[in-house]
Coordinates of all heavy atoms in Angstrom, one line a residue:
A13 N -29.9 -5.5 42.3 CA -30.6 -4.4 43.0 C -32.1 -4.3 42.5 O -32.9 -3.7 43.1 CB -29.9 -3.1 43.0
V14 N -32.4 -4.9 41.3 CA -33.8 -4.8 40.8 C -34.7 -5.9 41.3 O -35.7 -5.5 41.9 CB -33.7 -4.8 39.2 CG1 -35.2 -4.7 38.7 CG2 -33.0 -3.6 38.7
P15 N -34.4 -7.2 41.2 CA -33.3 -7.9 40.5 C -33.7 -8.2 39.0 O -34.8 -8.6 38.8 CB -33.1 -9.1 41.3 CG -34.4 -9.5 41.9 CD -35.2 -8.2 42.0
Y16 N -32.7 -8.2 38.2 CA -32.8 -8.7 36.8 C -31.7 -9.7 36.6 O -30.6 -9.5 37.2 CB -32.6 -7.7 35.7 CG -33.8 -6.7 35.5 CD1 -33.6 -5.3 35.3 CD2 -35.1 -7.2 35.5 CE1 -34.7 -4.5 35.1 CE2 -36.2 -6.3 35.4 CZ -36.0 -5.0 35.1 OH -37.0 -4.1 34.9
S17 N -31.9 -10.7 35.8 CA -30.9 -11.7 35.5 C -30.9 -12.0 33.9 O -31.7 -11.3 33.2 CB -31.2 -13.1 36.1 OG -32.3 -13.7 35.5
G18 N -30.1 -12.8 33.5 CA -30.0 -13.0 32.0 C -31.3 -13.4 31.4 O -31.6 -13.3 30.2
W19 N -32.3 -14.0 32.2 CA -33.6 -14.4 31.7 C -34.4 -13.1 31.3 O -35.5 -13.2 30.6 CB -34.4 -15.1 32.8 CG -33.8 -16.4 33.1 CD1 -33.1 -16.7 34.2 CD2 -33.9 -17.6 32.3 NE1 -32.7 -18.1 34.2 CE2 -33.2 -18.6 33.1 CE3 -34.5 -18.0 31.1 CZ2 -33.0 -20.0 32.6 CZ3 -34.4 -19.3 30.7 CH2 -33.7 -20.2 31.4
D20 N -34.0 -12.0 31.7 CA -34.9 -10.7 31.6 C -34.5 -9.9 30.4 O -35.0 -8.7 30.4 CB -34.9 -10.0 32.9 CG -35.3 -10.9 34.1 OD1 -36.4 -11.6 33.9 OD2 -34.7 -10.8 35.1
F21 N -33.7 -10.3 29.5 CA -33.2 -9.6 28.4 C -33.6 -10.3 27.1 O -33.9 -11.5 27.0 CB -31.7 -9.3 28.5 CG -31.4 -8.4 29.7 CD1 -31.2 -9.0 30.9 CD2 -31.4 -7.1 29.6 CE1 -30.9 -8.2 32.1 CE2 -31.1 -6.3 30.7 CZ -30.9 -6.9 31.9
N22 N -33.5 -9.5 26.0 CA -34.0 -10.0 24.7 C -33.0 -10.7 23.8 O -33.2 -11.0 22.6 CB -34.5 -8.8 23.9 CG -36.0 -8.5 24.2 OD1 -36.7 -9.4 24.6 ND2 -36.3 -7.2 24.1
D23 N -31.8 -11.1 24.4 CA -30.8 -11.7 23.5 C -31.3 -12.9 22.7 O -31.0 -13.1 21.5 CB -29.6 -12.3 24.4 CG -29.1 -11.2 25.4 OD1 -28.4 -10.3 24.8 OD2 -29.5 -11.2 26.5
S24 N -32.2 -13.8 23.3 CA -32.6 -15.0 22.6 C -33.5 -14.7 21.4 O -33.7 -15.5 20.5 CB -33.4 -15.9 23.6 OG -34.5 -15.3 24.1
I25 N -34.2 -13.5 21.4 CA -35.1 -13.2 20.3 C -34.5 -12.2 19.3 O -35.1 -12.0 18.2 CB -36.5 -12.7 20.7 CG1 -36.4 -11.4 21.5 CG2 -37.1 -13.8 21.6 CD1 -37.8 -10.8 21.8
C26 N -33.4 -11.6 19.7 CA -32.7 -10.7 18.7 C -32.2 -11.5 17.5 O -31.5 -12.4 17.7 CB -31.6 -9.9 19.4 SG -30.6 -8.9 18.2
K27 N -32.5 -11.0 16.3 CA -32.2 -11.7 15.1 C -30.9 -11.2 14.4 O -30.6 -11.5 13.2 CB -33.4 -11.8 14.1 CG -34.5 -12.5 14.7 CD -34.3 -14.0 14.9 CE -35.5 -14.8 15.2 NZ -36.1 -14.5 16.5
S28 N -30.2 -10.1 14.9 CA -29.1 -9.7 14.3 C -27.8 -10.5 14.6 O -27.9 -11.2 15.6 CB -28.8 -8.2 14.6 OG -28.2 -8.1 15.9
E29 N -26.8 -10.4 13.8 CA -25.6 -11.3 14.0 C -24.9 -11.0 15.3 O -24.4 -12.0 15.9 CB -24.7 -11.1 12.8 CG -25.2 -11.7 11.5 CD -24.2 -11.6 10.4 OE1 -23.1 -11.2 10.6 OE2 -24.7 -11.8 9.2
N30 N -24.8 -9.8 15.7 CA -24.0 -9.4 16.9 C -24.8 -8.9 18.1 O -24.3 -8.4 19.0 CB -23.0 -8.4 16.5 CG -23.6 -7.1 16.0 OD1 -24.8 -7.0 15.8 ND2 -22.8 -6.1 15.7
G31 N -26.2 -9.1 18.0 CA -27.0 -8.7 19.1 C -27.3 -7.2 19.1 O -28.1 -6.7 19.9
E32 N -26.7 -6.4 18.1 CA -27.0 -5.0 18.0 C -28.0 -4.7 16.9 O -28.3 -5.5 16.1 CB -25.6 -4.3 17.7 CG -24.5 -4.5 18.7 CD -24.7 -3.6 19.9 OE1 -25.2 -2.4 19.8 OE2 -24.4 -4.0 21.0
I33 N -28.5 -3.4 17.0 CA -29.4 -2.9 15.8 C -28.4 -2.5 14.8 O -27.6 -1.6 14.9 CB -30.2 -1.7 16.3 CG1 -31.1 -2.1 17.5 CG2 -31.0 -1.2 15.1 CD1 -31.8 -0.9 18.1
N34 N -28.5 -3.3 13.6 CA -27.7 -3.0 12.5 C -28.5 -2.5 11.3 O -27.9 -1.8 10.4 CB -26.9 -4.3 12.0 CG -26.1 -4.9 13.1 OD1 -25.4 -4.2 13.8 ND2 -26.1 -6.2 13.3
D35 N -29.8 -2.6 11.3 CA -30.6 -2.3 10.2 C -32.0 -1.6 10.7 O -32.8 -2.3 11.3 CB -31.0 -3.5 9.4 CG -31.9 -3.2 8.2 OD1 -32.1 -2.0 8.0 OD2 -32.3 -4.1 7.5
Y36 N -32.1 -0.3 10.6 CA -33.2 0.4 11.1 C -34.4 0.2 10.2 O -35.5 0.7 10.6 CB -32.9 1.9 11.3 CG -32.4 2.2 12.7 CD1 -31.0 1.9 13.0 CD2 -33.2 2.7 13.7 CE1 -30.5 2.2 14.2 CE2 -32.7 2.9 15.0 CZ -31.4 2.7 15.2 OH -30.9 2.9 16.5
N37 N -34.3 -0.4 9.1 CA -35.5 -0.8 8.3 C -36.1 -2.2 8.8 O -37.1 -2.7 8.2 CB -35.1 -0.9 6.8 CG -34.9 0.5 6.3 OD1 -35.8 1.3 6.4 ND2 -33.8 0.7 5.6
D38 N -35.4 -2.8 9.7 CA -35.9 -4.1 10.3 C -36.5 -3.8 11.7 O -35.8 -3.6 12.6 CB -34.8 -5.1 10.4 CG -35.2 -6.4 10.9 OD1 -36.3 -6.5 11.6 OD2 -34.4 -7.4 10.8
I39 N -37.9 -3.8 11.7 CA -38.5 -3.3 12.9 C -38.2 -4.3 14.1 O -38.3 -3.9 15.3 CB -40.1 -3.2 12.8 CG1 -40.7 -4.5 12.4 CG2 -40.3 -2.1 11.7 CD1 -42.3 -4.4 12.4
Y40 N -38.0 -5.6 13.8 CA -37.7 -6.6 14.8 C -36.3 -6.3 15.5 O -36.1 -6.4 16.7 CB -37.8 -8.0 14.3 CG -39.1 -8.3 13.8 CD1 -39.5 -8.1 12.5 CD2 -40.1 -8.8 14.7 CE1 -40.8 -8.4 12.1 CE2 -41.4 -9.1 14.3 CZ -41.7 -8.9 13.0 OH -43.0 -9.2 12.6
Q41 N -35.3 -5.9 14.6 CA -34.0 -5.5 15.2 C -34.1 -4.3 16.1 O -33.6 -4.2 17.2 CB -33.0 -5.3 14.1 CG -32.3 -6.5 13.5 CD -31.1 -6.2 12.6 OE1 -30.5 -5.1 12.9 NE2 -30.9 -6.9 11.6
V42 N -34.9 -3.3 15.5 CA -34.9 -2.0 16.2 C -35.5 -2.2 17.6 O -35.2 -1.5 18.6 CB -35.8 -1.0 15.4 CG1 -36.0 0.3 16.2 CG2 -35.1 -0.7 14.1
R43 N -36.5 -3.2 17.8 CA -37.2 -3.3 19.0 C -36.8 -4.5 19.9 O -37.1 -4.6 21.1 CB -38.7 -3.5 18.7 CG -39.3 -2.2 18.3 CD -40.7 -2.4 17.6 NE -41.4 -1.2 17.4 CZ -42.4 -1.1 16.5 NH1 -42.8 -2.1 15.8 NH2 -43.1 0.1 16.4
D44 N -36.0 -5.4 19.3 CA -35.6 -6.6 20.0 C -34.0 -6.7 20.3 O -33.6 -7.6 21.0 CB -36.0 -7.9 19.3 CG -37.5 -8.0 19.3 OD1 -38.2 -7.5 20.2 OD2 -38.0 -8.7 18.4
C45 N -33.3 -5.8 19.6 CA -31.8 -5.9 19.8 C -31.3 -4.7 20.5 O -32.0 -3.8 20.9 CB -31.2 -5.9 18.4 SG -31.7 -7.4 17.5
R46 N -30.0 -4.7 20.8 CA -29.4 -3.7 21.6 C -29.1 -2.4 20.9 O -28.5 -2.4 19.8 CB -28.1 -4.2 22.2 CG -28.2 -5.4 23.0 CD -26.8 -5.9 23.5 NE -26.9 -7.1 24.4 CZ -25.9 -7.8 24.8 NH1 -24.7 -7.4 24.5 NH2 -26.1 -8.8 25.6
L47 N -29.6 -1.3 21.5 CA -29.3 0.1 21.0 C -28.0 0.5 21.5 O -27.8 0.6 22.7 CB -30.5 1.0 21.5 CG -30.2 2.5 21.3 CD1 -30.3 2.9 19.9 CD2 -31.3 3.3 22.0
V48 N -27.0 0.7 20.6 CA -25.6 1.0 21.0 C -25.1 0.3 22.2 O -24.6 0.9 23.1 CB -25.4 2.6 21.1 CG1 -25.6 3.3 19.8 CG2 -26.4 3.2 22.2
G49 N -25.3 -1.0 22.2 CA -24.8 -1.8 23.2 C -25.6 -2.0 24.5 O -25.2 -2.7 25.5
L50 N -26.6 -1.1 24.7 CA -27.4 -1.1 25.9 C -28.2 -2.4 26.0 O -28.9 -2.8 25.1 CB -28.4 0.1 25.9 CG -27.7 1.5 25.9 CD1 -28.6 2.6 25.4 CD2 -27.1 1.8 27.3
L51 N -28.2 -3.1 27.2 CA -28.8 -4.4 27.4 C -30.3 -4.2 27.2 O -30.9 -3.5 28.1 CB -28.3 -4.9 28.7 CG -26.8 -5.2 28.9 CD1 -26.5 -5.7 30.3 CD2 -26.3 -6.1 27.8
D52 N -30.9 -4.9 26.3 CA -32.3 -4.7 25.9 C -33.2 -5.5 26.8 O -33.2 -6.8 26.7 CB -32.5 -5.0 24.4 CG -33.7 -4.4 23.9 OD1 -33.9 -3.2 23.9 OD2 -34.6 -5.2 23.4
L53 N -34.1 -4.8 27.5 CA -34.9 -5.5 28.5 C -36.1 -6.3 27.7 O -36.6 -5.8 26.7 CB -35.6 -4.6 29.5 CG -34.7 -4.2 30.6 CD1 -35.3 -2.9 31.4 CD2 -34.5 -5.3 31.6
A54 N -36.5 -7.4 28.2 CA -37.5 -8.3 27.6 C -38.9 -7.8 28.1 O -39.5 -8.4 29.0 CB -37.3 -9.7 27.9
L55 N -39.4 -6.7 27.6 CA -40.6 -6.1 28.0 C -41.8 -7.0 27.6 O -43.0 -6.7 28.0 CB -40.8 -4.7 27.5 CG -40.1 -3.6 28.4 CD1 -40.2 -2.3 27.7 CD2 -40.7 -3.5 29.8
G56 N -41.6 -8.0 26.8 CA -42.6 -8.9 26.5 C -42.9 -9.8 27.7 O -44.0 -10.5 27.7
K57 N -42.1 -9.9 28.7 CA -42.2 -10.8 29.9 C -43.0 -10.0 31.0 O -42.6 -8.9 31.3 CB -40.9 -11.3 30.4 CG -40.1 -12.2 29.3 CD -38.9 -12.8 30.0 CE -38.2 -13.7 29.0 NZ -37.0 -14.4 29.6

């Protein structure tokens, strides 16, 4: 309905093991990984 597809999310650049934010002292995880499982949009695109 937007449309968004798998290309439009940050999975490929998230550097945590499970795709989630595990370390709030890592600014890259906080901004590139999933907040409590929410699918993180690739706002860099």
